[in-house]
Amino acid sequence: MPQEVLTEAADEMLDWHGSGMSVMEMSHRGKEFGAIYQQAHADLRELLAVPGNFKILFMQGGGLAENAIVPLNLSRAGVVDFVVSGSWSQKSANEASRYCSVNTAANNASDGHTTLPEPATWRLSRGASYVHVCTNETINGVECHELPDLKALGCDAPLVIDFSSHVASRPVDWSRVGLAFGGAQKNLGPAGLTLVVVREDLLGQALPICPSAFNYQTVADNQSMYNTPPTYAIYMAGLVFQWLKRQGGIAAMEARSKAKAALLYDAIDRSQLYLNKVAGNCRSRMNVPFFLRDESLNEAFLAGARAHGLLQLKGHKSVGGMRASIYNAMPMEGVQALVDYLREFEQKRA
Ligand SMILES: *Cc1c(COP(=O)(O)O)cnc(C)c1O
């Protein structure tokens, strides 16, 4: 979370804009929350340049719930294609297989999830309901820098993207997307809010077993208020959207992300001690996993980092090593502090 946003929320915690209420105490149907919701919705549409024929839904359940909710809404044809590029897309494919037949169109497991299979090599099935791609593999640090053009591959199915961990760090080419989903907690706000952006022609196709509260048509028809939405998380995300606009919007965040990532990868690549294994053309600008070539130094590295105020650097347990997540709210100075520490730690051991 940007510090500025946390301070703003703290100031408004007990009394929002003289309403005499905390946002947490408002009715989601009252005019105060209505204003918060409308502003957040409009700001997000503007920031991500979401075209008029897409609905923006504010849901709950996180990315993992969407792994079920997407097939429950979109898998009417019975077959879906998955590009497995890391832990998250594998998880999504496993969950979808409970509701429909999953075809793995590509899989980079034999490369240890360090590459991105070229779209031209994907084995897409004829008549699939959709093609799922996780456009930023948070755990493996693999990012799809250009969305695939399915039409150019002769595929009419809509593209579904899981953009949980890089949403708002770069523009989205909506002409290539049918549905995008993401948990808010990486780049948009606190946990509890799930963003879904869906093309209107994909609504109204849910399987009969789809829960009503998770039916995209129902959610869209009720402006995301079929049931009580995560009001406080929407409010916080709204403050983040305002902050993003003050920073210069998504183009500015993209430029900043490129600069932050370049600084960190460069420091890793130049060193004798650290190693990033991801192929150059798909290195994530948000999640940078790296290893110490001498893994016996891991604990000392982490302890020293903590002493420098550099937290949460331990890699995901399935991958090991280290991981620096440098989401939008991480300033350049934070990345510079990490780079300085990397150098200092290495020099001490040289
Ligand atoms: C964090 C994350 C999710 C979110 O899952 P939750 O259910 O919200 O915990 C989904 N997909 C990706 C790629 C993620 O990074």
Side-chain angles (χ1 to χ4, degrees):
M1 297 291 295
Q3 188 130 18
E4 226 174 284
V5 166
L6 293 175
T7 305
E8 213 178 334
D11 290 344
E12 298 180 339
M13 172 68 81
L14 299 181
D15 181 5
W16 182 80
H17 294 198
S19 65
M21 292 179 279
S22 170
V23 173
M24 283 179 242
E25 299 170 313
M26 291 174 183
S27 161
H28 64 289
R29 308 213 182 267
K31 73 171 185 338
E32 292 88 357
F33 186 73
I36 291 170
Y37 173 89
Q38 290 303 339
Q39 187 70 49
H41 192 272
D43 284 343
L44 185 63
R45 189 176 285 280
E46 181 188 330
L47 279 165
L48 293 185
V50 178
N53 63 326
F54 282 75
K55 295 284 190 197
I56 295 175
L57 311 179
F58 291 147
M59 299 182 68
Q60 304 191 51
L64 283 190
E66 290 302 325
N67 285 346
I69 296 169
V70 172
L72 280 165
N73 275 275
L74 297 188
S75 73
R76 220 163 44 169
V79 180
V80 297
D81 284 341
F82 272 79
V83 174
V84 173
S85 52
S87 312
W88 280 107
S89 46
Q90 183 63 63
K91 232 178 207 188
S92 302
N94 294 349
E95 182 71 9
S97 70
R98 304 180 64 199
Y99 304 102
C100 51
S101 160
V102 166
N103 169 52
T104 302
N107 195 335
N108 66 355
S110 58
D111 299 329
H113 300 310
T114 58
T115 56
L116 201 58
E118 273 298 314
T121 67
W122 297 355
R123 294 173 307 274
L124 300 169
S125 32
R126 201 176 292 267
S129 289
Y130 62 88
V131 179
H132 177 115
V133 176
C134 176
T135 46
N136 187 58
E137 288 282 0
T138 321
I139 293 173
N140 309 91
V142 171
E143 182 168 6
C144 176
H145 289 295
E146 192 192 350
L147 295 181
D149 183 354
L150 294 183
K151 280 213 177 62
L153 297 171
C155 169
D156 286 330
L159 176 69
V160 169
I161 60 171
D162 175 356
F163 65 174
S164 296
S165 53
H166 70 168
V167 56
S169 72
R170 59 180 230 190
V172 177
D173 181 352
W174 293 105
S175 72
R176 297 186 174 182
V177 174
L179 182 145
F181 72 84
Q185 67 267 31
K186 313 279 170 43
N187 247 353
L188 299 180
L193 169 64
T194 312
L195 173 66
V196 175
V197 183
V198 55
R199 218 171 56 207
E200 279 167 351
D201 62 286
L202 299 174
L203 299 172
Q205 304 181 24
L207 305 183
I209 57 163
C210 179
S212 307
F214 292 151
N215 185 316
Y216 293 139
Q217 177 83 66
T218 308
V219 179
D221 287 348
N222 291 279
Q223 285 75 47
S224 301
M225 298 208 198
Y226 173 73
N227 61 334
T228 310
T231 53
Y232 200 76
I234 291 172
Y235 156 74
M236 290 292 289
L239 296 183
V240 172
F241 301 157
Q242 288 277 323
W243 176 82
L244 285 169
K245 287 172 77 172
R246 290 197 297 276
Q247 305 304 302
I250 302 304
M253 298 322 293
E254 183 181 40
R256 195 185 288 182
S257 298
K258 281 182 179 170
K260 278 156 46 183
L263 177 66
L264 183 49
Y265 283 113
D266 192 54
I268 292 169
D269 290 343
R270 281 167 188 270
S271 89
Q272 304 298 310
L273 180 59
Y274 312 105
L275 171 70
N276 171 280
K277 300 177 182 173
V278 178
N281 66 344
C282 57
R283 284 176 160 189
S284 170
R285 294 181 196 134
M286 295 283 108
N287 309 99
V288 182
F290 62 94
F291 296 86
L292 273 61
R293 290 177 198 265
D294 177 357
E295 296 232 279
S296 72
L297 296 174
N298 282 358
E299 285 314 312
F301 176 86
L302 286 168
R306 270 193 300 277
H308 284 71
L310 299 162
L311 310 178
Q312 313 218 55
L313 283 168
K314 193 172 175 151
H316 191 271
K317 59 183 185 302
S318 64
V319 176
M322 308 296 158
R323 177 176 51 160
S325 287
I326 50 174
Y327 296 120
N328 278 348
M330 175 60 69
M332 188 56 136
E333 298 75 50
V335 179
Q336 186 63 55
L338 173 59
V339 165
D340 291 344
Y341 172 66
L342 290 176
R343 198 167 296 140
E344 179 194 314
F345 184 84
E346 181 171 5
Q347 278 166 1
K348 252 197 245 161
R349 267 140 199 93

